[in-house]
């Protein structure tokens, strides 16, 4: 089942043009792993997935329901996501 889904994933334009992965490489495969219940594989593929999903959900929910401290929550998750993306990108380049 996983192989069939990978046929429909968008290729990384950065990798095709320049030959190296971008900071977003692995996100689609990570979502696919999550969909199939492979949580550790999803984390190994793209660690920021566990902060990006709650961030996206909170942003969407905040359009419909206003609640206290939503901006602090969004800012905190956004900062955490960016830090995780940068650190995991550097680690991938080193290893």
């Amino acid at each position: 089942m996983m192989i069939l889904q990978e046929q429909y994933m968008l290729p990384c334009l950065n990798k095709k043009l320049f030959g190296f992965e971008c900071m977003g490489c692995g996100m689609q495969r990570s979502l696919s792993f999550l969909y199939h219940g492979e949580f550790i594989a999803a984390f190994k593929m793209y660690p920021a997935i566990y902060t990006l999903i709650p961030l996206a959900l909170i942003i969407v929910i905040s359009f419909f329901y206003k609640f206290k401290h939503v901006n602090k929550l969004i800012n905190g998750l956004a900062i955490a996501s960016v830090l995780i993306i940068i650190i995991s990108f550097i680690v991938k380049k080193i290893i």
Side-chain angles (χ1 to χ4, degrees):
M1 187 70 150
M2 181 78 85
I3 295 170
L4 293 176
Q5 288 179 349
E6 286 186 9
Q7 293 175 354
Y8 300 105
M9 290 186 183
L10 297 172
C12 177
L13 188 60
N14 192 56
K15 191 171 184 176
K16 282 192 176 241
L17 291 176
F18 304 114
F20 58 90
E21 294 183 350
C22 67
M23 290 188 186
C25 279
M27 188 184 305
Q28 290 180 91
R29 288 173 283 167
S30 181
L31 284 170
S32 180
F33 281 132
L34 278 178
Y35 178 74
H36 291 288
E38 298 179 36
F39 303 109
I40 295 172
F43 179 79
K44 288 179 180 178
M45 184 61 61
Y46 198 75
I49 198 72
Y50 289 111
T51 54
L52 288 173
I53 290 174
L55 176 63
L57 289 173
I58 290 170
I59 289 172
V60 169
I61 290 169
S62 71
F63 281 122
F64 301 106
Y65 302 105
K66 302 297 179 199
F67 51 96
K68 196 173 184 179
H69 305 295
V70 69
N71 290 335
K72 289 182 182 179
L73 187 58
I74 290 172
N75 289 340
L77 282 170
I79 291 169
S81 296
V82 168
L83 288 175
I84 292 169
I85 290 168
I86 292 171
I87 291 169
S88 65
F89 181 73
I90 291 170
V91 168
K92 279 184 187 178
K93 291 295 174 190
I94 292 173
I95 296 176

